[in-house]
Amino acid sequence: MKLAQDMFAQMRAATRNLMGSGPAAATVAIQQALAAAGLAPQAAAQPQPQQPMHDINPPPAPPPAGAQPQPAATPETPCAPPTPAQAAQEFAQDFMARLGVPAGLGQHSFDMPSFEMPNFHPPAFNTPATTPVELPVGAQFLDGVYRNHAGTRTYKLYIPSSYQGQAMPLIVMLHGCTQNPDDFAAGTQMNALAEEKECFVVYPAQTQGANSSRCWNWFNALDQQRDQGEPSLIAGIAQQVIDEYPVNEREVFVAGLSAGGAMAVIVGTLYPELFAAVGVHSGLPFASAQDLPSALAAMKGGAMPNPKRQAPAGGVPIIVFHGDRDTTVNLRNGDELIAQGVRSQAGGKAAKAASVGGSVPNGHRYTRTMHSQADGSPLGEYWVIHGAGHAWSGGSGNGSYTDGKGPDASREMLRFFKTVS
């Protein structure tokens, strides 16, 4: 079945209606867009003249003369091909599901679906951690809450056992879709590193009310603006921790995975006076999408360079990790992300790049590319992990979306943050 060329234009129109008109109006708009693309469910459609269809698979050959007719397909023998009407309806339902429209249109909120769709993991790979990790004696993992004009978000703050009132760095960690702070902490093992490196770690939590899959809404235009939406909430959480604890304000960093990585880029870009550097794992460039269709296109095909959405000049150093077998967020996003970050910092000046290869014993190979200014000041690092998918490199199986074959993204991020602070 061939889609109309203006399919995504129609879906963008539906999305614009969605953002301003609520779920019911969004449902109508999406149904209109699907109808315009020739994909609306066929039950209420008027009979149309049959057009010849061209398929890569030839039609079945007619039965030989005298052959017995084949029985219709049953649940036990599901062999009958779908009719064109059924195929169109199934496609429409699948496409709308991918955009986050639940069954029973208009009955639920309209959210972006989970970006964490494991397709290479063992059973229960994407199950969030349920058993809390035992804390070292003297350490604390505290619950907190922050409110502003954009809403309310809870968070968890890790305070290492070595804390005795001294100033320490702060790492803000943004989880991926379907995850939560406990799960993300367990998977990235960032709390254990906080014990070793003596730093605070705060984990903001996305709500299901804001996104049914608990994805940070990096693809919404409102959530790409300073002092608006989720960036204001995340920056506010960081500032609240700074106000309540002796944080070294020159060593405040933000990092994230997937949707959390995309949001980390946005927050770091919008608040360069607050964050000294950004860490991104399997994420997307700044302002990669403005609506749901462009978000899906960026994830699957890679965000394309666009002068209208370039990160402002004067950005902060960035370290990026991406698996070259990632089928959820295309590797091209990592390529554009590091290029965008280097451009925003270099300001037209020449930058140097040097690449080295390496491997983890019994683990993944990787290519590490270091970008720096002419005087050697670091601008960014890009780690392409060969053979890895959509998962936190070097993470623990105690959390979801982790790949224990390394390299250790958490440790390398903290090393990089230390070099730029």
Side-chain angles (χ1 to χ4, degrees):
M1 178 173 57
K2 183 178 180 181
L3 302 183
Q5 292 183 353
D6 62 347
M7 175 67 176
F8 280 101
Q10 295 288 340
M11 294 309 299
R12 285 192 174 89
T15 305
R16 284 193 292 271
N17 287 341
L18 159 69
M19 297 304 178
S21 305
T27 296
V28 175
I30 291 173
Q31 289 173 333
Q32 292 172 347
L34 289 168
L39 296 174
Q42 302 295 309
Q46 296 298 319
Q48 298 292 329
Q50 292 293 323
Q51 298 294 327
M53 297 184 65
H54 300 280
D55 202 326
I56 58 173
N57 298 313
Q68 293 296 320
Q70 295 297 312
T74 68
E76 291 75 24
T77 58
C79 301
T83 66
Q86 290 171 334
Q89 184 169 2
E90 290 172 3
F91 182 91
Q93 291 171 343
D94 176 71
F95 192 85
M96 294 174 77
R98 283 176 175 271
L99 292 180
V101 184
L105 295 174
Q107 298 177 7
H108 304 281
S109 60
F110 189 101
D111 292 312
M112 193 66 181
S114 167
F115 297 131
E116 322 294 340
M117 296 182 289
N119 49 23
F120 65 101
H121 309 313
F125 186 95
N126 66 328
T127 303
T130 55
T131 304
V133 177
E134 186 175 348
L135 298 179
V137 176
Q140 301 178 77
F141 205 17
L142 306 177
D143 293 307
V145 63
Y146 175 78
R147 299 179 178 87
N148 71 6
H149 65 280
T152 301
R153 294 294 184 276
T154 61
Y155 61 85
K156 298 200 74 169
L157 173 66
Y158 186 80
I159 302 175
S161 61
S162 59
Y163 174 63
Q164 299 294 327
Q166 74 274 30
M168 295 192 300
L170 171 64
I171 316 297
V172 179
M173 294 287 287
L174 302 178
H175 63 74
C177 300
T178 76
Q179 295 182 314
N180 58 46
D182 288 299
D183 175 38
F184 198 41
T188 61
Q189 304 179 95
M190 195 60 81
N191 290 354
L193 282 171
E195 284 289 324
E196 178 184 333
K197 303 296 184 181
E198 297 191 356
C199 59
F200 301 108
V201 188
V202 65
Y203 301 84
Q206 178 63 302
T207 67
Q208 284 192 302
N211 186 288
S212 62
S213 295
R214 295 195 299 274
C215 306
W216 296 101
N217 290 302
W218 59 273
F219 50 87
N220 285 343
L222 178 68
D223 296 301
Q224 298 170 5
Q225 300 177 37
R226 184 182 171 95
D227 299 329
Q228 299 292 327
E230 292 172 2
S232 74
L233 290 164
I234 295 165
I237 288 172
Q239 189 61 56
Q240 183 163 290
V241 175
I242 292 170
D243 293 340
E244 295 178 356
Y245 294 88
V247 172
N248 185 337
E249 295 186 39
R250 297 180 57 186
E251 296 183 85
V252 180
F253 312 99
V254 59
L257 168 66
S258 192
M263 183 56 71
V265 174
I266 293 170
V267 174
T269 299
L270 297 178
Y271 296 90
E273 79 286 357
L274 181 59
F275 297 101
V278 176
V280 184
H281 204 310
S282 310
L284 297 97
F286 177 77
S288 303
Q290 298 293 322
D291 51 32
L292 302 178
S294 59
L296 288 174
M299 289 169 59
K300 295 303 180 184
M304 300 301 293
N306 185 336
K308 294 183 179 180
R309 65 163 184 254
Q310 292 303 302
V316 297
I318 186 169
I319 182 169
V320 178
F321 290 80
H322 215 114
D324 65 5
R325 297 288 182 87
D326 191 335
T327 59
T328 301
V329 177
N330 193 291
L331 176 63
R332 285 193 287 271
N333 288 291
D335 299 342
E336 174 57 19
L337 178 51
I338 189 66
Q340 184 186 77
V342 170
R343 285 195 304 266
S344 69
Q345 295 175 78
K349 298 179 180 179
K352 299 188 299 182
S355 296
V356 296
S359 63
V360 176
N362 301 315
H364 291 302
R365 294 181 303 104
Y366 59 83
T367 300
R368 174 189 175 203
T369 303
M370 294 152 286
H371 300 266
S372 61
Q373 297 178 349
D375 63 0
S377 302
L379 298 172
E381 284 189 19
Y382 185 29
W383 292 67
V384 176
I385 307 163
H386 305 297
H390 195 68
W392 189 275
S393 180
S396 166
N398 290 326
S400 62
Y401 304 105
T402 60
D403 184 344
K405 293 184 177 180
D408 189 337
S410 297
R411 183 173 294 277
E412 295 297 341
M413 282 186 182
L414 291 190
R415 173 198 54 78
F416 178 77
F417 291 161
K418 193 66 177 178
T419 66
V420 301
S421 60

